[in-house]
């Protein structure tokens, strides 16, 4: 009897141990298969750092081959363009992990391709003797122009190829020197002006009047207006019994059509359209343009737009959204994508930074393929808004962005800032000889967008097309 009980207990214990072993095997399989790629590129994966010791990390170069990051014989990483391209290159440190391309392309820079990145210790047998080079889509000269144009002011500039989504410049000010990020970590993290923040992709701001381009498209698409309707702007719009929305500086635009309203940036017109659209019409437009959506499958981690619960908003708050104010917050990269929809036949391209991964002899191991992120609007509708935006630069609030010999479109914005002077915005496109880019400029507390932001856009556009000759 005792032997029988003993055998039973042993069988139960054995079954329990086998079950635990099975759970452990399943968990290891999950880590290796499902979570493998994510863990392999995690910036704080110390095992990856240990395995990469002894390998000379590959270079990061711009589209023309200019070196943006490289390693010396002792392994020390240098960044010739320093703070100008820090939001793109990021940093690579033993203690604080990595950011930017140093993190997202870290495996390739260390000589490991993604197909073996999750193999753990086995990867040491399959890695290259030296890291691969990573060629980016950015233009170092254009980035330097954008940095100099910001002239020390807090803000961001994004330039993207309209037809492919290739990022040509992504500048954020203030910035930091990636080579000394670890040594100066305490000072950098304590600074009130947040130099480690990539304002281009992570900074969230009210879009101001640049958002009127999306509202115009939404109103036309929903049929709540047409290009021939005549609006009357008296300088103010009474909403309900206790709220009046005003034009800035007491402006009165009189009678105007939709194209005129965008050119003159009439608040009354676009607040009226937002009220006609209501929460359901705005929600539909936001979905089409990816406002509040997550940008996935890209080397650029873009912060999701902050979108209020539209169904809970009152009429006054809905009207504020129509002019890009209220609780709505977006990144400059998000607004570059909105501009792309109107410049690129309704398509918003997936933004990307890594153009190629190259072996030491220049053989491509990887080449980027442009992808459409969203089809935001119909091509014919995009052409209409694009034409309106051309008028803004030709004869409206965006004339400072005009460049001789280049077709420039745009929309300025002056976004109210609860903690200080208004933020200045410009979004738009520029085209010459079959080359087309989209631009987004944000200057924190820059005041009127038609001066500060549009002027920066002018310098960037001019530099870009001078380089295309």
């Amino acid at each position: 009897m005792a032997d029988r009980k003993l055998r039973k207990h042993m069988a139960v214990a054995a079954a329990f141990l086998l079950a635990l072993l099975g759970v452990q095997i399943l968990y290891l399989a999950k880590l290796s298969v499902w979570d493998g790629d994510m863990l392999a590129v995690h910036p704080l994966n110390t095992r990856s750092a240990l395995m990469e010791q002894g390998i000379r990390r590959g270079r990061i170069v711009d589209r023309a081959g200019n070196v943006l990051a490289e390693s010396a014989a002792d392994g020390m990483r240098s960044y010739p363009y320093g703070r100008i391209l820090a939001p793109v290159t990021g940093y690579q440190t033993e203690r604080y992990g990595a950011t930017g391309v140093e993190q997202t392309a870290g495996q390739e820079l260390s000589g490991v391709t993604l197909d073996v990145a999750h193999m753990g210790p086995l990867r040491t047998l399959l890695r290259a003797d030296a890291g691969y080079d990573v060629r980016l889509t950015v233009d170092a000269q254009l980035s330097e122009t954008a940095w100099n144009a910001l002239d020390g002011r807090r803000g961001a500039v994004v330039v993207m190829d309209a037809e492919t989504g290739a990022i040509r410049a992504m500048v954020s000010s203030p910035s930091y020197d990636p080579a000394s990020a670890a040594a100066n970590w305490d000072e950098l993290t304590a600074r009130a002006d947040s130099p480690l923040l990539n304002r281009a992709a992570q900074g969230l701001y009210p879009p101001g009047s640049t958002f009127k381009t999306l509202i115009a498209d939404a109103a036309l698409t929903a049929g709540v207006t047409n290009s021939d309707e005549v609006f009357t702007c008296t300088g103010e719009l009474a909403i309900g019994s206790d709220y009046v929305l005003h034009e800035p500086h007491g402006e009165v635009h009189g009678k105007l059509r939709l194209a005129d309203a965008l050119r003159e940036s009439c608040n009354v017109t676009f607040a009226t359209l937002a009220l006609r659209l209501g929460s359901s019409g705005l929600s539909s437009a936001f979905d089409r343009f990816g406002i509040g959506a997550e940008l996935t499958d890209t080397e650029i981690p873009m912060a999701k737009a902050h979108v209020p619960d539209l169904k809970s908003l009152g009429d006054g708050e809905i009207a504020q959204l129509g002019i890009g104010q209220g609780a709505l917050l977006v990144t400059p990269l998000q607004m570059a994508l909105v501009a792309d929809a109107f410049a690129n036949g309704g398509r918003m391209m997936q933004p990307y930074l890594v153009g190629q991964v190259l072996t030491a002899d220049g053989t491509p191991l990887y080449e980027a393929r442009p992808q459409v992120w969203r089809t935001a609007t119909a091509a014919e509708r995009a052409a209409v808004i694009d034409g309106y935006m051309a008028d803004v630069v030709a004869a409206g609030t965006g004339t400072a962005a005009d460049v001789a010999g280049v077709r420039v479109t745009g929309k300025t914005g002056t976004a109210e800032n609860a903690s200080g002077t208004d933020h200045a915005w410009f979004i738009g496109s520029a085209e010459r000889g079959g080359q087309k880019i989209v631009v987004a400029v944000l200057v924190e507390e820059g005041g009127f967008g038609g001066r500060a932001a549009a002027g920066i856009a002018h310098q960037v556009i001019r530099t870009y097309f001078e380089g295309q000759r």
Side-chain angles (χ1 to χ4, degrees), residues 186-439:
D186 290 342
E187 184 263 335
L188 289 171
T189 55
R191 279 174 52 176
D193 58 358
S194 305
L196 292 171
L197 174 69
N198 179 359
R199 285 165 161 80
Q202 295 290 317
L204 289 166
Y205 309 90
S209 293
T210 61
F211 209 65
K212 291 172 181 174
T213 57
L214 184 150
I215 298 298
D217 175 271
L220 291 170
T221 299
V224 300
T225 190
N226 58 59
S227 58
D228 294 323
E229 181 180 0
V230 177
F231 299 87
T232 301
C233 171
T234 62
E236 60 183 34
L237 178 66
I239 302 170
S241 59
D242 58 355
Y243 176 62
V244 178
L245 183 145
H246 296 276
E247 293 290 340
H249 314 299
E251 292 174 288
V252 177
H253 296 115
K255 295 187 180 299
L256 67 178
R257 292 183 171 84
L258 187 58
D260 308 318
L262 195 69
R263 185 182 65 246
E264 302 301 323
S265 203
C266 177
N267 284 350
V268 168
T269 298
F270 287 96
T272 299
L273 293 175
L275 289 169
R276 291 181 186 177
L277 287 164
S279 61
S280 61
L282 289 173
S283 179
S284 175
F286 284 16
D287 287 345
R288 286 189 288 111
F289 282 86
I291 306 298
E294 188 172 1
L295 189 63
T296 58
D297 299 324
T298 178
E299 311 98 348
I300 310 168
M302 183 180 77
K304 289 172 57 175
H306 178 269
V307 179
D309 179 9
L310 297 176
K311 293 181 180 178
S312 67
L313 300 184
D315 285 349
E317 295 165 307
I318 291 287
Q320 284 288 317
L321 288 182
I323 60 173
Q325 294 290 165
L328 176 66
L329 300 173
V330 298
T331 66
L333 178 56
Q334 175 82 76
M335 293 311 297
L337 293 172
V338 170
D340 193 37
F342 302 123
N344 193 35
R347 298 179 302 276
M348 303 168 76
M349 302 304 292
Q350 180 96 346
Y352 66 97
L353 282 167
V354 176
Q356 292 179 313
V357 175
L358 305 169
T359 62
D361 64 1
T363 302
L365 292 176
Y366 164 84
E367 293 193 65
R369 295 180 180 178
Q371 298 179 39
V372 176
W373 181 47
R374 266 177 163 71
T375 299
T377 189
E380 58 270 22
R381 189 85 65 226
V384 170
I385 305 300
D386 181 70
Y388 291 172
M389 293 172 70
D391 289 344
V392 170
V393 174
T397 59
T399 55
D402 192 32
V403 175
V406 179
R407 182 182 184 271
V408 181
T409 78
K411 182 68 190 81
T412 60
T414 306
E416 292 180 8
N417 174 21
S419 60
T421 307
D422 295 343
H423 299 318
W425 278 96
F426 177 89
I427 66 169
S429 68
E431 180 180 16
R432 189 184 71 186
Q435 295 286 326
K436 183 184 289 188
I437 56 172
V438 292
V439 179

